[in-house]
Amino acid sequence: TSHFVALQIGVLLKGTCYLAEEIFHLQSRHHGSFWRALSACFPLHWYRPMLLICGSACAALLNGDGQPLALHLGLASLFQLFTLALGLH
């Protein structure tokens, strides 16, 4: 479950980085539409079910090893950022 949550956090972080870059190109690439840029960075046709599954995995972590959920999510986020920064993904 933790691994699945970490993978989904990685996808979220990667999409967020893409969105931060695409905001500078709203006029040239997306005709001024923020929603077009958002849908280019986060493919919503498959992302909604994955977000639901990820939420279920987070709920499962609450009953896991007694550690706070924020600790799990924080460490998974840092690991995914490190992986993206090194280009290992």
Side-chain angles (χ1 to χ4, degrees):
T1 303
S2 299
H3 179 69
F4 183 72
V5 170
L7 289 176
Q8 293 309 307
I9 289 173
V11 171
L12 265 175
L13 290 172
K14 195 172 186 181
T16 304
C17 291
Y18 287 155
L19 183 62
E21 194 272 329
E22 287 297 318
I23 286 176
F24 296 106
H25 304 286
L26 280 178
Q27 294 300 323
S28 62
R29 294 182 185 167
H30 306 288
H31 308 291
S33 173
F34 177 76
W35 295 111
R36 283 186 185 181
L38 188 66
S39 66
C41 297
F42 298 100
L44 295 178
H45 63 277
W46 69 268
Y47 201 67
R48 287 180 190 146
M50 295 307 277
L51 198 56
L52 179 66
I53 293 170
C54 186
S56 300
C58 285
L61 279 176
L62 287 174
N63 297 328
D65 58 0
Q67 298 293 326
L69 180 62
L71 176 67
H72 284 286
L73 295 178
L75 289 174
S77 297
L78 286 174
F79 176 74
Q80 288 299 324
L81 283 173
F82 185 67
T83 303
L84 288 172
L86 292 178
L88 299 174
H89 195 234

Coordinates of all heavy atoms in Angstrom, one line a residue:
T1 N 0.8 -1.2 0.0 CA 0.0 0.0 0.0 C 0.9 1.2 0.0 O 0.6 2.2 -0.7 CB -0.9 0.0 1.2 OG1 -1.7 -1.2 1.2 CG2 -1.9 1.2 1.2
S2 N 1.9 1.2 0.8 CA 2.8 2.4 0.9 C 3.5 2.7 -0.5 O 3.6 3.8 -0.9 CB 3.9 2.2 1.9 OG 3.3 2.1 3.2
H3 N 3.9 1.6 -1.1 CA 4.5 1.8 -2.4 C 3.5 2.3 -3.5 O 3.9 3.2 -4.3 CB 5.0 0.4 -2.9 CG 5.7 0.5 -4.2 ND1 6.9 1.1 -4.5 CD2 5.3 0.0 -5.5 CE1 7.2 1.0 -5.7 NE2 6.3 0.3 -6.3
F4 N 2.3 1.9 -3.4 CA 1.3 2.4 -4.4 C 1.0 3.9 -4.1 O 0.9 4.6 -5.1 CB 0.0 1.6 -4.2 CG -1.1 2.0 -5.2 CD1 -0.9 1.7 -6.5 CD2 -2.2 2.7 -4.8 CE1 -1.9 2.0 -7.4 CE2 -3.1 3.1 -5.7 CZ -3.0 2.8 -7.0
V5 N 0.9 4.2 -2.9 CA 0.7 5.6 -2.5 C 1.9 6.5 -3.0 O 1.8 7.6 -3.5 CB 0.5 5.8 -1.0 CG1 0.5 7.3 -0.6 CG2 -0.8 5.2 -0.6
A6 N 3.1 6.0 -2.8 CA 4.3 6.7 -3.2 C 4.3 6.9 -4.7 O 4.7 7.9 -5.2 CB 5.6 5.9 -2.8
L7 N 3.9 5.9 -5.5 CA 3.9 6.0 -6.9 C 2.8 7.1 -7.3 O 3.1 7.9 -8.3 CB 3.5 4.7 -7.6 CG 4.6 3.6 -7.6 CD1 4.0 2.3 -8.2 CD2 5.8 4.1 -8.3
Q8 N 1.7 7.1 -6.7 CA 0.7 8.1 -7.0 C 1.1 9.5 -6.6 O 0.9 10.5 -7.3 CB -0.6 7.8 -6.4 CG -1.3 6.5 -6.9 CD -1.3 6.5 -8.4 OE1 -1.9 7.5 -9.0 NE2 -0.8 5.5 -9.1
I9 N 1.8 9.6 -5.5 CA 2.4 10.9 -5.1 C 3.4 11.4 -6.2 O 3.5 12.6 -6.6 CB 3.0 10.8 -3.7 CG1 1.9 10.7 -2.7 CG2 3.9 12.1 -3.5 CD1 2.5 10.5 -1.3
G10 N 4.2 10.4 -6.7 CA 5.1 10.8 -7.8 C 4.4 11.3 -9.0 O 4.9 12.3 -9.6
V11 N 3.3 10.7 -9.4 CA 2.6 11.2 -10.5 C 2.0 12.6 -10.3 O 2.1 13.4 -11.2 CB 1.4 10.2 -10.9 CG1 0.5 10.7 -11.9 CG2 2.0 8.8 -11.4
L12 N 1.5 12.8 -9.1 CA 1.0 14.1 -8.7 C 2.1 15.2 -8.8 O 1.9 16.3 -9.3 CB 0.4 14.1 -7.3 CG -1.1 13.8 -7.2 CD1 -1.5 13.7 -5.7 CD2 -1.9 14.9 -7.8
L13 N 3.2 14.9 -8.2 CA 4.4 15.8 -8.2 C 4.9 16.1 -9.6 O 5.2 17.2 -9.9 CB 5.5 15.3 -7.3 CG 5.2 15.3 -5.8 CD1 6.3 14.6 -5.1 CD2 5.0 16.7 -5.3
K14 N 4.9 15.1 -10.4 CA 5.4 15.3 -11.8 C 4.4 16.1 -12.6 O 4.8 17.0 -13.3 CB 5.6 13.9 -12.4 CG 6.3 13.9 -13.7 CD 6.6 12.5 -14.2 CE 7.5 12.4 -15.3 NZ 7.7 11.1 -15.8
G15 N 3.1 15.9 -12.4 CA 2.1 16.7 -13.1 C 2.2 18.1 -12.6 O 2.0 19.1 -13.3
T16 N 2.4 18.3 -11.3 CA 2.5 19.7 -10.7 C 3.7 20.4 -11.3 O 3.6 21.6 -11.6 CB 2.6 19.6 -9.2 OG1 1.5 18.9 -8.7 CG2 2.7 21.0 -8.6
C17 N 4.8 19.7 -11.5 CA 6.0 20.3 -12.1 C 5.7 20.7 -13.5 O 6.1 21.8 -14.0 CB 7.2 19.4 -12.0 SG 7.8 19.2 -10.3
Y18 N 5.0 19.8 -14.3 CA 4.7 20.1 -15.6 C 3.8 21.3 -15.7 O 3.9 22.2 -16.6 CB 4.0 18.9 -16.3 CG 4.9 17.8 -16.6 CD1 4.4 16.5 -16.7 CD2 6.3 18.0 -16.9 CE1 5.2 15.4 -17.1 CE2 7.1 16.9 -17.2 CZ 6.5 15.6 -17.3 OH 7.3 14.6 -17.6
L19 N 2.8 21.4 -14.8 CA 1.9 22.5 -14.8 C 2.6 23.8 -14.5 O 2.3 24.9 -15.1 CB 0.8 22.3 -13.7 CG -0.3 23.3 -13.7 CD1 -1.1 23.4 -15.0 CD2 -1.3 23.0 -12.6
A20 N 3.5 23.8 -13.6 CA 4.3 25.0 -13.3 C 5.0 25.5 -14.5 O 5.2 26.7 -14.7 CB 5.3 24.8 -12.1
E21 N 5.5 24.6 -15.3 CA 6.2 25.0 -16.5 C 5.2 25.4 -17.6 O 5.5 26.4 -18.3 CB 7.0 23.8 -17.0 CG 8.1 24.2 -18.1 CD 7.5 24.1 -19.5 OE1 6.6 23.3 -19.8 OE2 8.0 24.9 -20.3
E22 N 4.1 24.8 -17.7 CA 3.1 25.1 -18.8 C 2.4 26.4 -18.5 O 1.9 27.0 -19.5 CB 2.1 24.0 -18.9 CG 2.6 22.7 -19.5 CD 3.0 22.9 -20.9 OE1 2.3 23.6 -21.7 OE2 4.1 22.4 -21.3
I23 N 2.4 26.9 -17.3 CA 1.7 28.2 -17.0 C 2.4 29.3 -17.8 O 1.7 30.3 -18.2 CB 1.7 28.5 -15.5 CG1 0.7 27.6 -14.8 CG2 1.4 29.9 -15.2 CD1 0.6 27.7 -13.3
F24 N 3.7 29.2 -18.0 CA 4.4 30.2 -18.8 C 4.1 30.2 -20.3 O 4.4 31.1 -21.0 CB 5.9 30.1 -18.6 CG 6.3 30.4 -17.1 CD1 6.7 29.3 -16.3 CD2 6.3 31.7 -16.6 CE1 7.1 29.6 -15.0 CE2 6.6 31.9 -15.3 CZ 7.0 30.9 -14.5
H25 N 3.4 29.1 -20.7 CA 3.1 29.0 -22.1 C 1.6 28.9 -22.4 O 1.2 28.3 -23.4 CB 3.8 27.7 -22.7 CG 5.2 27.6 -22.4 ND1 6.1 28.4 -23.2 CD2 6.0 27.0 -21.6 CE1 7.4 28.2 -22.8 NE2 7.3 27.3 -21.8
L26 N 0.8 29.5 -21.5 CA -0.6 29.5 -21.7 C -1.1 30.0 -23.0 O -1.9 29.4 -23.7 CB -1.3 30.2 -20.5 CG -1.5 29.4 -19.2 CD1 -2.1 30.3 -18.2 CD2 -2.2 28.2 -19.4
Q27 N -0.6 31.2 -23.4 CA -1.0 31.8 -24.6 C -0.5 31.1 -25.9 O -1.3 30.9 -26.8 CB -0.5 33.3 -24.7 CG -1.1 34.2 -23.6 CD -2.6 34.2 -23.8 OE1 -3.2 34.3 -24.9 NE2 -3.3 34.2 -22.6
S28 N 0.7 30.7 -25.9 CA 1.3 30.1 -27.1 C 0.8 28.6 -27.3 O 0.6 28.2 -28.5 CB 2.8 30.1 -27.1 OG 3.3 29.4 -26.0
R29 N 0.7 27.8 -26.3 CA 0.3 26.4 -26.4 C -1.1 26.1 -26.1 O -1.7 25.1 -26.7 CB 1.2 25.6 -25.5 CG 2.7 25.6 -25.8 CD 3.4 24.7 -24.8 NE 4.8 24.8 -25.1 CZ 5.8 24.3 -24.2 NH1 5.4 23.7 -23.1 NH2 7.0 24.5 -24.5
H30 N -1.7 26.8 -25.3 CA -3.1 26.4 -24.8 C -4.1 27.5 -25.0 O -5.2 27.5 -24.5 CB -3.0 26.1 -23.3 CG -2.0 25.0 -23.0 ND1 -2.2 23.7 -23.3 CD2 -0.8 25.1 -22.4 CE1 -1.1 23.0 -22.9 NE2 -0.3 23.9 -22.4
H31 N -3.8 28.5 -25.9 CA -4.7 29.6 -26.2 C -5.3 30.3 -25.0 O -6.5 30.6 -25.0 CB -5.8 29.1 -27.2 CG -5.3 28.3 -28.3 ND1 -4.6 28.9 -29.4 CD2 -5.3 27.0 -28.7 CE1 -4.3 28.0 -30.3 NE2 -4.7 26.8 -29.9
G32 N -4.5 30.5 -24.0 CA -4.9 31.2 -22.8 C -5.8 30.4 -21.9 O -6.3 31.0 -20.9
S33 N -6.1 29.1 -22.1 CA -7.0 28.3 -21.3 C -6.2 27.6 -20.2 O -5.4 26.7 -20.5 CB -7.7 27.3 -22.1 OG -8.5 26.5 -21.3
F34 N -6.4 27.9 -19.0 CA -5.8 27.2 -17.9 C -6.2 25.8 -17.8 O -5.5 24.9 -17.5 CB -6.1 27.9 -16.5 CG -5.5 27.2 -15.3 CD1 -4.1 27.3 -15.1 CD2 -6.3 26.4 -14.5 CE1 -3.6 26.6 -14.0 CE2 -5.8 25.8 -13.4 CZ -4.4 25.9 -13.1
W35 N -7.5 25.5 -18.1 CA -8.0 24.1 -18.1 C -7.4 23.2 -19.1 O -7.2 22.0 -18.9 CB -9.6 24.2 -18.2 CG -10.2 24.9 -17.0 CD1 -10.8 26.1 -17.1 CD2 -10.2 24.4 -15.7 NE1 -11.2 26.4 -15.8 CE2 -10.8 25.4 -14.9 CE3 -9.7 23.3 -15.0 CZ2 -11.0 25.4 -13.6 CZ3 -9.9 23.2 -13.7 CH2 -10.5 24.2 -12.9
R36 N -7.1 23.8 -20.3 CA -6.3 23.0 -21.3 C -5.0 22.6 -20.8 O -4.5 21.5 -20.9 CB -6.2 23.7 -22.6 CG -7.5 23.8 -23.4 CD -7.2 24.4 -24.7 NE -8.5 24.6 -25.4 CZ -8.5 25.1 -26.6 NH1 -7.4 25.5 -27.2 NH2 -9.7 25.2 -27.2
A37 N -4.3 23.5 -20.1 CA -3.0 23.3 -19.6 C -3.1 22.2 -18.4 O -2.3 21.3 -18.4 CB -2.3 24.5 -19.0
L38 N -4.1 22.4 -17.6 CA -4.3 21.4 -16.5 C -4.6 20.0 -17.1 O -4.0 19.0 -16.6 CB -5.5 21.9 -15.7 CG -5.7 21.1 -14.4 CD1 -4.6 21.3 -13.4 CD2 -7.0 21.6 -13.7
S39 N -5.4 19.9 -18.1 CA -5.7 18.6 -18.6 C -4.5 18.0 -19.4 O -4.4 16.8 -19.5 CB -6.9 18.6 -19.5 OG -6.7 19.4 -20.7
A40 N -3.6 18.8 -19.9 CA -2.4 18.3 -20.5 C -1.4 17.8 -19.5 O -0.7 16.8 -19.8 CB -1.8 19.4 -21.3
C41 N -1.4 18.3 -18.3 CA -0.5 17.9 -17.3 C -1.0 16.7 -16.4 O -0.3 15.9 -15.9 CB -0.1 19.1 -16.4 SG 0.7 20.4 -17.2
F42 N -2.3 16.7 -16.3 CA -3.0 15.7 -15.5 C -4.1 15.0 -16.3 O -5.2 15.5 -16.5 CB -3.7 16.2 -14.2 CG -2.7 16.9 -13.3 CD1 -2.6 18.2 -13.2 CD2 -2.0 16.1 -12.4 CE1 -1.7 18.8 -12.3 CE2 -1.1 16.7 -11.5 CZ -1.0 18.1 -11.5
P43 N -3.8 13.9 -17.0 CA -4.8 13.2 -17.8 C -6.0 12.7 -17.0 O -5.9 11.7 -16.3 CB -4.0 12.1 -18.5 CG -2.8 11.8 -17.6 CD -2.5 13.1 -16.9
L44 N -7.0 13.5 -16.9 CA -8.1 13.2 -16.0 C -9.0 12.0 -16.4 O -9.7 11.5 -15.5 CB -9.0 14.5 -16.0 CG -8.4 15.7 -15.4 CD1 -9.3 16.9 -15.4 CD2 -7.9 15.5 -14.0
H45 N -8.9 11.5 -17.6 CA -9.7 10.4 -18.0 C -9.4 9.1 -17.2 O -10.2 8.2 -16.9 CB -9.7 10.1 -19.5 CG -8.3 9.7 -20.0 ND1 -7.4 10.7 -20.3 CD2 -7.8 8.5 -20.2 CE1 -6.3 10.1 -20.7 NE2 -6.5 8.8 -20.7
W46 N -8.1 9.0 -16.8 CA -7.7 7.8 -15.9 C -7.3 8.2 -14.5 O -7.2 7.4 -13.7 CB -6.6 7.0 -16.6 CG -5.3 7.8 -16.6 CD1 -4.8 8.6 -17.6 CD2 -4.3 7.8 -15.6 NE1 -3.6 9.1 -17.2 CE2 -3.2 8.6 -16.0 CE3 -4.2 7.2 -14.3 CZ2 -2.1 8.8 -15.2 CZ3 -3.1 7.4 -13.6 CH2 -2.0 8.2 -14.0
Y47 N -7.2 9.5 -14.3 CA -6.6 9.9 -13.0 C -7.7 9.9 -11.9 O -7.3 9.7 -10.8 CB -6.1 11.4 -13.2 CG -5.1 11.7 -12.1 CD1 -3.9 11.0 -12.1 CD2 -5.4 12.6 -11.1 CE1 -3.0 11.3 -11.1 CE2 -4.5 12.9 -10.1 CZ -3.3 12.2 -10.1 OH -2.4 12.5 -9.1
R48 N -8.9 10.1 -12.2 CA -10.0 10.1 -11.1 C -10.0 8.7 -10.5 O -10.0 8.6 -9.2 CB -11.3 10.5 -11.7 CG -11.4 11.9 -12.0 CD -12.7 12.3 -12.6 NE -12.7 13.7 -13.1 CZ -13.4 14.1 -14.1 NH1 -14.1 13.3 -14.8 NH2 -13.3 15.3 -14.5
P49 N -10.1 7.6 -11.2 CA -10.1 6.3 -10.5 C -8.8 6.1 -9.7 O -8.9 5.5 -8.6 CB -10.2 5.3 -11.6 CG -10.8 6.0 -12.8 CD -10.3 7.4 -12.6
M50 N -7.7 6.5 -10.2 CA -6.4 6.3 -9.5 C -6.4 7.1 -8.2 O -5.9 6.7 -7.2 CB -5.2 6.7 -10.4 CG -5.1 5.8 -11.6 SD -5.0 4.1 -11.2 CE -3.4 3.9 -10.8
L51 N -7.0 8.3 -8.3 CA -7.1 9.2 -7.1 C -8.0 8.5 -6.0 O -7.6 8.5 -4.8 CB -7.6 10.5 -7.4 CG -7.3 11.7 -6.5 CD1 -5.9 11.8 -6.2 CD2 -7.9 13.0 -7.0
L52 N -9.0 7.9 -6.4 CA -9.9 7.2 -5.5 C -9.2 6.0 -4.9 O -9.3 5.8 -3.7 CB -11.2 6.7 -6.2 CG -12.2 5.9 -5.4 CD1 -12.8 6.8 -4.4 CD2 -13.2 5.3 -6.3
I53 N -8.4 5.2 -5.7 CA -7.7 4.1 -5.2 C -6.6 4.6 -4.2 O -6.4 4.0 -3.2 CB -7.1 3.3 -6.3 CG1 -8.3 2.6 -7.1 CG2 -6.1 2.2 -5.8 CD1 -7.8 2.0 -8.4
C54 N -5.9 5.7 -4.6 CA -4.9 6.2 -3.7 C -5.5 6.7 -2.4 O -4.9 6.5 -1.3 CB -4.2 7.4 -4.4 SG -2.8 8.0 -3.5
G55 N -6.7 7.3 -2.4 CA -7.3 7.7 -1.2 C -7.6 6.5 -0.3 O -7.5 6.5 0.9
S56 N -8.1 5.4 -0.9 CA -8.3 4.1 -0.2 C -7.0 3.6 0.4 O -7.0 3.1 1.6 CB -9.0 3.1 -1.1 OG -10.2 3.6 -1.6
A57 N -5.9 3.7 -0.3 CA -4.7 3.2 0.2 C -4.2 4.1 1.4 O -3.7 3.5 2.4 CB -3.6 3.2 -0.9
C58 N -4.5 5.4 1.3 CA -4.1 6.2 2.5 C -4.9 5.9 3.7 O -4.4 5.9 4.8 CB -4.4 7.7 2.1 SG -3.1 8.4 1.0
A59 N -6.2 5.6 3.5 CA -7.1 5.1 4.6 C -6.5 3.8 5.2 O -6.6 3.6 6.4 CB -8.5 5.0 4.2
A60 N -6.0 2.9 4.4 CA -5.5 1.7 4.9 C -4.2 1.9 5.7 O -3.9 1.2 6.6 CB -5.2 0.7 3.7
L61 N -3.4 3.0 5.3 CA -2.2 3.3 6.1 C -2.5 3.8 7.5 O -1.7 3.7 8.4 CB -1.4 4.4 5.3 CG -0.5 3.9 4.2 CD1 0.1 5.1 3.5 CD2 0.5 2.9 4.7
L62 N -3.7 4.4 7.7 CA -4.1 4.9 9.0 C -4.1 3.8 10.0 O -3.8 4.0 11.2 CB -5.4 5.5 8.9 CG -5.5 6.9 8.3 CD1 -6.9 7.4 8.2 CD2 -4.6 7.9 9.0
N63 N -4.4 2.6 9.6 CA -4.5 1.4 10.6 C -3.2 0.6 10.5 O -3.2 -0.5 11.1 CB -5.7 0.6 10.2 CG -7.0 1.3 10.4 OD1 -7.1 2.2 11.3 ND2 -8.0 1.0 9.6
G64 N -2.2 1.1 9.8 CA -1.0 0.3 9.6 C -0.1 0.1 10.8 O -0.4 -0.6 11.8
D65 N 1.0 0.8 10.9 CA 2.0 0.5 11.9 C 2.0 1.5 13.0 O 2.9 1.5 13.9 CB 3.4 0.5 11.2 CG 3.7 1.8 10.5 OD1 2.8 2.7 10.5 OD2 4.8 1.9 10.0
G66 N 1.0 2.3 13.1 CA 0.8 3.2 14.2 C 1.5 4.6 14.0 O 1.4 5.4 14.9
Q67 N 2.3 4.7 12.9 CA 2.9 6.0 12.6 C 1.9 6.9 12.0 O 1.0 6.5 11.4 CB 4.1 5.8 11.6 CG 5.2 4.9 12.1 CD 5.9 5.5 13.3 OE1 6.1 6.7 13.3 NE2 6.4 4.7 14.2
P68 N 2.1 8.2 12.2 CA 1.2 9.2 11.6 C 1.2 9.2 10.1 O 2.2 8.9 9.5 CB 1.7 10.6 12.1 CG 2.8 10.3 13.1 CD 3.2 8.9 13.0
L69 N 0.0 9.4 9.5 CA -0.1 9.4 8.1 C 0.7 10.5 7.4 O 1.3 10.3 6.4 CB -1.6 9.5 7.7 CG -1.9 9.5 6.2 CD1 -1.5 8.2 5.6 CD2 -3.4 9.8 6.0
A70 N 0.8 11.6 8.1 CA 1.6 12.7 7.6 C 3.1 12.3 7.4 O 3.7 12.7 6.5 CB 1.5 13.9 8.5
L71 N 3.6 11.5 8.3 CA 5.0 11.0 8.2 C 5.1 10.2 7.0 O 6.1 10.3 6.2 CB 5.4 10.3 9.5 CG 6.7 9.6 9.5 CD1 7.8 10.7 9.5 CD2 6.9 8.7 10.6
H72 N 4.2 9.2 6.8 CA 4.3 8.4 5.6 C 4.2 9.2 4.3 O 5.0 9.0 3.4 CB 3.1 7.4 5.6 CG 3.3 6.2 6.6 ND1 4.2 5.2 6.3 CD2 2.7 6.0 7.7 CE1 4.1 4.3 7.3 NE2 3.2 4.8 8.2
L73 N 3.3 10.1 4.2 CA 3.1 10.9 3.0 C 4.3 11.8 2.8 O 4.7 12.1 1.7 CB 1.8 11.7 3.1 CG 0.5 10.8 3.0 CD1 -0.7 11.7 3.1 CD2 0.5 9.9 1.8
G74 N 4.8 12.4 3.9 CA 5.9 13.3 3.8 C 7.2 12.6 3.3 O 7.9 13.1 2.4
L75 N 7.4 11.4 3.8 CA 8.6 10.6 3.4 C 8.4 10.2 2.0 O 9.4 10.2 1.2 CB 8.8 9.5 4.3 CG 9.4 9.8 5.7 CD1 9.4 8.6 6.6 CD2 10.7 10.5 5.6
A76 N 7.2 9.7 1.6 CA 7.0 9.3 0.2 C 7.2 10.5 -0.8 O 7.7 10.3 -1.8 CB 5.6 8.7 0.1
S77 N 6.7 11.7 -0.4 CA 6.9 12.8 -1.2 C 8.3 13.2 -1.4 O 8.8 13.5 -2.5 CB 6.1 14.0 -0.6 OG 4.7 13.8 -0.6
L78 N 9.1 13.2 -0.3 CA 10.5 13.5 -0.4 C 11.2 12.5 -1.3 O 12.1 12.8 -2.1 CB 11.1 13.6 1.0 CG 10.8 14.8 1.8 CD1 11.4 14.6 3.2 CD2 11.3 16.0 1.2
F79 N 10.9 11.2 -1.1 CA 11.5 10.2 -1.9 C 11.2 10.4 -3.4 O 12.1 10.3 -4.3 CB 11.1 8.8 -1.5 CG 11.6 7.7 -2.3 CD1 12.9 7.3 -2.2 CD2 10.8 7.0 -3.2 CE1 13.4 6.3 -3.0 CE2 11.3 6.0 -4.0 CZ 12.6 5.7 -3.9
Q80 N 10.0 10.7 -3.7 CA 9.6 10.9 -5.1 C 10.2 12.1 -5.7 O 10.7 12.1 -6.9 CB 8.1 11.0 -5.3 CG 7.4 9.7 -5.1 CD 7.8 8.6 -6.1 OE1 8.0 8.9 -7.2 NE2 7.9 7.4 -5.7
L81 N 10.3 13.2 -4.9 CA 11.1 14.4 -5.4 C 12.5 14.1 -5.7 O 13.1 14.6 -6.7 CB 10.9 15.6 -4.4 CG 9.6 16.3 -4.4 CD1 9.5 17.3 -3.3 CD2 9.3 17.0 -5.7
F82 N 13.1 13.4 -4.8 CA 14.5 13.0 -5.0 C 14.7 12.1 -6.2 O 15.6 12.3 -7.0 CB 15.0 12.2 -3.7 CG 16.4 11.8 -3.7 CD1 17.4 12.8 -3.6 CD2 16.8 10.5 -3.8 CE1 18.7 12.4 -3.6 CE2 18.1 10.1 -3.8 CZ 19.1 11.1 -3.7
T83 N 13.8 11.2 -6.5 CA 13.8 10.4 -7.6 C 13.7 11.2 -8.9 O 14.4 11.0 -9.9 CB 12.7 9.3 -7.6 OG1 12.9 8.5 -6.4 CG2 12.8 8.4 -8.8
L84 N 12.7 12.1 -8.9 CA 12.5 13.0 -10.1 C 13.8 13.9 -10.3 O 14.2 14.1 -11.4 CB 11.3 13.9 -9.9 CG 10.0 13.2 -10.0 CD1 8.8 14.1 -9.6 CD2 9.7 12.6 -11.4
A85 N 14.3 14.4 -9.2 CA 15.5 15.3 -9.3 C 16.7 14.6 -9.9 O 17.5 15.2 -10.7 CB 15.8 15.9 -8.0
L86 N 16.9 13.3 -9.6 CA 18.0 12.6 -10.1 C 17.7 12.0 -11.5 O 18.6 11.4 -12.1 CB 18.4 11.4 -9.1 CG 18.9 11.9 -7.8 CD1 19.2 10.7 -6.9 CD2 20.2 12.7 -8.0
G87 N 16.5 12.1 -11.9 CA 16.1 11.5 -13.3 C 16.0 10.0 -13.3 O 16.2 9.4 -14.3
L88 N 15.7 9.4 -12.2 CA 15.7 8.0 -12.1 C 14.3 7.4 -12.4 O 14.1 6.2 -12.5 CB 16.0 7.5 -10.7 CG 17.4 7.9 -10.2 CD1 17.6 7.5 -8.8 CD2 18.5 7.2 -11.1
H89 N 13.3 8.3 -12.6 CA 12.0 7.8 -12.8 C 11.7 7.5 -14.2 O 12.0 7.9 -15.2 CB 11.0 8.9 -12.3 CG 9.6 8.4 -12.2 ND1 8.5 9.0 -12.8 CD2 9.1 7.3 -11.5 CE1 7.4 8.3 -12.5 NE2 7.8 7.3 -11.7

